Amino acid sequence: MNLAELSAVVSDEAKAFELVERLRWPNGPVCPHCGATSRAGRLPAQRTKPSKKHPEGKSVYGLWKCYACRRQFTVRVGSIFEDSPIPLSKWLLAIHLMCSSKKGISSNQIKRELGVSYQTAWFLTHRIRLAMTVDPLKSLLGQDGGIVEIDETFVGGKVVNNMHHDKTKAAGRKTIVMTLVDRQGDALGVVVPDTSKETLEAVAKPIVDRSATIMTDGNPIYANLDDYFRGHHAVDHDKRFVRAMIIHTNFAESYHSLLKRGLIGAFHHVSAEHLHRYVNEFSFRWNSRKESDGERTERAIRSGAGRRLTYRPLIGR
Ligand SMILES: [Zn+2]
């Protein structure tokens, strides 16, 4: 998808539906009710009954009728777009903005670009982050004897950076992000409760291949990783390899600096309970770094299928 295609899509709701349908249903419509494939017919755009807010009625796009179960559906059903009153074209614009900005984009800016309320923008961005969630079990990091860097960093905790009413309570409370980067492939950031050896191993063992060689700093929590993985080198200790430019955690450090610049620049305050969602967003962009903004946008639209996030769990009620 290039910019011309994107602008056509964001100004035309019918085209927005066509784009999402093409991405989600490459082989034709799939009924979300009964699973029938290619047995649905497109219904013409319809209008809702006039209401106070919409005296002329509202256009309803993207309706299909399943010939197998006789029920109607749209491509929104069973995706992050389901049950949302926001036009699909605005969703696509928001996804594109999030996919094309390297350090991320704040809900405030989404609010201005889309002309929606802050609450709507905030919910929208969190749903999109859900679509961006990296599935760690799809493929292990460091497969076939690869190199995986593991590093931890502390984020947040500054009084000026949080919006908690009780500044003293929230102050100084930093959150730990542990990052695992396959030098040839994907990265995964994980919010962890502490930096104990047990936590590190509980995170790393299920997602890193045993044939991998691990690079870390000299923190003692990383000691003896070569009992489990093929090898382990710590930056501070193996000076001769450092000289050979093999032992470093530069990838993990770049990931952290990008994450931190994003959190400072675009997000200002991120409470600990939502941090993992932002970290997902950064991992998603990192893992698609070789793709164009358009390709990344399409990937996010595709992976919005099968994921839903309702407002209630998001605000912790
Ligand atoms: Zn059906």
Side-chain angles (χ1 to χ4, degrees):
M1 180 167 58
N2 58 38
L3 209 57
E5 285 172 298
L6 178 78
S7 56
V9 159
V10 297
S11 55
D12 184 335
E13 186 67 2
K15 281 212 172 77
F17 270 93
E18 280 166 27
L19 174 79
V20 178
E21 288 167 1
R22 181 165 60 76
L23 293 172
R24 268 198 75 186
W25 299 329
N27 303 312
V30 181
C31 173
H33 306 299
C34 72
T37 51
S38 304
R39 289 189 61 197
R42 186 185 284 287
L43 298 173
Q46 303 186 357
R47 292 193 86 74
T48 59
K49 290 203 182 92
S51 65
K52 248 187 194 155
K53 206 174 166 194
H54 303 280
E56 314 260 292
K58 250 173 77 180
S59 290
V60 179
Y61 296 95
L63 270 179
W64 292 78
K65 175 148 186 163
C66 176
Y67 299 134
C69 71
R70 319 297 301 166
R71 294 174 72 184
Q72 294 186 359
F73 61 91
T74 76
V75 72
R76 283 179 178 250
V77 178
S79 77
I80 56 165
F81 311 119
E82 189 169 351
D83 299 335
S84 161
I86 309 299
L88 205 52
S89 47
K90 290 202 177 191
W91 273 98
L92 298 185
L93 179 58
I95 292 175
H96 180 76
L97 289 168
M98 288 174 73
C99 284
S100 56
S101 127
K102 215 175 169 198
K103 286 185 285 176
I105 186 162
S106 67
S107 299
N108 255 317
Q109 200 174 336
I110 295 276
K111 168 194 150 181
R112 287 191 296 272
E113 303 267 2
L114 268 62
V116 295
S117 72
Y118 178 79
Q119 198 189 28
T120 298
W122 189 81
F123 183 50
L124 215 72
T125 52
H126 272 312
R127 268 204 188 181
I128 294 169
R129 277 181 197 111
L130 183 72
M132 291 174 159
T133 303
V134 177
D135 187 353
L137 296 174
K138 247 181 209 160
S139 70
L140 295 174
L141 301 174
Q143 267 177 335
D144 304 320
I147 295 177
V148 175
E149 298 179 13
I150 304 181
D151 196 17
E152 76 288 342
T153 193
F154 293 82
V155 291
K158 275 188 199 150
V159 181
V160 289
N161 283 347
N162 75 64
M163 299 280 277
H164 286 90
H165 296 295
D166 185 352
K167 300 261 188 221
T168 49
K169 201 175 155 201
R173 197 191 294 149
K174 286 190 180 272
T175 310
I176 310 155
V177 176
M178 186 157 275
T179 301
L180 305 96
V181 190
D182 180 335
R183 282 197 193 156
Q184 302 295 321
D186 287 356
L188 192 72
V190 183
V191 177
V192 291
D194 56 64
T195 57
S196 70
K197 195 166 176 56
E198 290 70 34
T199 299
L200 160 78
E201 293 188 358
V203 170
K205 284 182 178 175
I207 56 177
V208 180
D209 197 80
R210 285 193 79 157
S211 72
T213 298
I214 314 294
M215 303 288 175
T216 65
D217 60 21
N219 192 323
I221 60 162
Y222 298 118
N224 305 328
L225 276 177
D226 45 2
D227 289 351
Y228 185 83
F229 298 105
R230 190 173 71 174
H232 169 235
H233 297 287
V235 173
D236 302 349
H237 298 142
D238 293 330
K239 287 275 157 43
R240 65 205 165 95
F241 286 108
V242 177
R243 251 178 269 126
M245 305 295 283
I246 301 168
I247 298 182
H248 59 77
T249 51
N250 296 353
F251 284 68
E253 282 158 32
S254 336
Y255 179 98
H256 287 154
S257 77
L258 203 61
L259 174 69
K260 285 182 176 175
R261 274 186 285 144
L263 291 174
I264 293 165
F267 305 113
H268 306 298
H269 64 283
V270 170
S271 62
E273 61 182 315
H274 294 304
L275 182 67
H276 65 284
R277 302 181 199 279
Y278 294 90
V279 174
N280 279 340
E281 181 187 344
F282 278 82
S283 297
F284 176 86
R285 270 196 304 265
W286 177 280
N287 296 341
S288 56
R289 65 196 177 282
K290 287 173 186 154
E291 296 174 2
S292 71
D293 292 344
E295 287 168 331
R296 193 175 303 117
T297 303
E298 291 191 359
R299 178 201 286 268
I301 295 170
R302 259 189 239 106
S303 49
R307 303 192 200 246
R308 288 193 57 199
L309 180 69
T310 50
Y311 196 64
R312 252 163 221 281
L314 191 58
I315 54 175
R317 279 182 205 151

